[in-house]
Amino acid sequence: MTRQTAYMTEVRDITGYSHYLAMKSQMSGMLVFDGHKATSEETSLRQECRRMSDRISLELSVCKEEEIAMLLECFETMYRLGYRRMPDCRFIDTHRRRILDAWRCGNRRIAESQVYEISEEARRELSDRWLAALMEHSCFPGVTAYENYQRLALIMREDIGLRIDGDAEELKRRWYDFNRIDDLASESTSILKSYRRFASSLFPEVLDFDGQTALDNRLLAELSRRRDLTPHDREAYRLALEYNKEIAED
């Protein structure tokens, strides 16, 4: 494996390479805990994941607050894969607090979906307003399409039955129909990445397994062709599509 870690200078390079390493790890069998002896590929990948987690930990100390969430997600994944244990919760909490503090101090480059996901305090503060917006509009007006799908992905995973008037599954299907994208090629790469996260939240209440997988495969095929992604990111999407097809054949 080519050693890439030392040359990561931009967040998109770091996140793209982390995405690639995660998919390579899944394809290699690193996530199968059956007591098998690690192959040379697994050992090499584990070493690279460790190097990457160490690289990201350094980047987290100097990055902009609005970059913390995506870097922290990559760090946790790389650390778990590389060291085969959870990272220090104090390290994670410190950076999550940085995000929350910066958001409360008015950094509007930090999206509400970022703080909603990492802070129970923020979730309580935002939850009712989010649901009210969806009940009235079936989307989140006044935000970017990217943020709209990020928020939808979070809400769709929640048990909202006791917090609303009406059938929760029917409402979620309505929200999906209102926000669905039929022509994937017409949307930007950024929107498609966020839409894929939304799509992953649709099983089982909105789409069955086959329907959700078919949608995911369409998204993966489109993303794997996007030239504005880094080569590692594109390859990660191609590997994910290959993985989905292998699972379907088993």
Side-chain angles (χ1 to χ4, degrees):
M1 175 178 298
T2 302
R3 187 167 179 174
Q4 299 282 342
T5 311
Y7 305 102
M8 298 292 155
T9 58
E10 296 184 6
V11 170
R12 70 189 297 267
D13 294 326
I14 292 171
T15 56
Y17 190 51
S18 298
H19 183 200
Y20 167 76
L21 286 177
M23 279 311 308
K24 285 289 287 184
S25 298
Q26 187 170 31
M27 296 287 285
S28 74
M30 271 175 60
L31 304 185
V32 178
F33 301 105
D34 58 1
H36 73 277
K37 182 179 179 180
T39 64
S40 59
E41 181 185 19
E42 289 178 72
T43 299
S44 177
L45 280 166
R46 189 165 290 120
Q47 291 172 345
E48 191 67 6
C49 288
R50 286 198 294 268
R51 285 194 289 265
M52 198 62 193
S53 71
D54 295 345
R55 172 69 183 85
I56 299 172
S57 69
L58 294 176
E59 187 66 27
L60 280 164
S61 67
V62 298
C63 71
K64 299 174 183 177
E65 283 85 358
E66 59 268 24
E67 296 172 335
I68 295 173
M70 65 182 75
L71 286 172
L72 201 57
E73 182 178 354
C74 292
F75 170 78
E76 291 186 79
T77 300
M78 292 295 97
Y79 192 97
R80 289 197 302 269
L81 289 171
Y83 290 98
R84 304 187 75 177
R85 63 177 184 267
M86 298 296 292
D88 186 343
C89 62
R90 292 170 298 181
F91 179 86
I92 302 298
D93 288 345
T94 294
H95 290 292
R96 286 179 172 175
R97 176 54 60 180
R98 286 177 59 204
I99 298 172
L100 189 58
D101 288 348
W103 178 69
R104 292 204 182 285
C105 288
N107 185 342
R108 291 302 173 241
R109 292 184 297 275
I110 297 173
E112 287 186 4
S113 60
Q114 290 179 311
V115 295
Y116 189 99
E117 192 166 19
I118 65 170
S119 167
E120 182 62 34
E121 176 186 352
R123 187 177 295 113
R124 289 193 299 269
E125 181 178 332
L126 296 170
S127 185
D128 288 344
R129 176 159 58 81
W130 280 19
L131 272 179
L134 282 175
M135 295 295 286
E136 182 176 356
H137 304 285
S138 294
C139 67
F140 295 95
V143 304
T144 64
Y146 180 93
E147 174 67 4
N148 181 62
Y149 289 121
Q150 293 292 98
R151 295 186 190 184
L152 281 165
L154 294 167
I155 287 291
M156 297 292 262
R157 289 189 174 95
E158 293 189 0
D159 181 2
I160 61 171
L162 297 178
R163 301 166 53 198
I164 59 170
D165 292 324
D167 181 84
E169 288 192 15
E170 178 59 35
L171 278 171
K172 288 182 178 182
R173 284 192 290 269
R174 187 177 80 191
W175 299 339
Y176 167 60
D177 288 337
F178 187 88
N179 292 279
R180 66 185 295 168
I181 299 173
D182 292 318
D183 183 7
L184 299 180
S186 68
E187 299 294 342
S188 72
T189 298
S190 177
I191 289 173
L192 289 186
K193 290 174 77 171
S194 187
Y195 187 71
R196 186 180 180 228
R197 188 174 187 185
F198 169 55
S200 72
S201 72
L202 300 175
F203 173 79
E205 291 182 287
V206 178
L207 295 178
D208 62 16
F209 178 79
D210 289 341
Q212 195 276 327
T213 301
L215 175 55
D216 192 44
N217 287 344
R218 288 177 56 219
L219 282 159
L220 290 171
E222 181 63 35
L223 286 165
S224 67
R225 294 190 291 264
R226 293 299 175 104
R227 308 306 297 181
D228 54 339
L229 290 172
T230 67
H232 283 121
D233 222 0
R234 280 200 308 277
E235 178 63 7
Y237 286 118
R238 189 195 68 78
L239 289 172
L241 180 58
E242 181 181 326
Y243 181 80
N244 279 1
K245 290 179 179 179
E246 288 182 0
I247 294 297
E249 292 172 357
D250 289 343

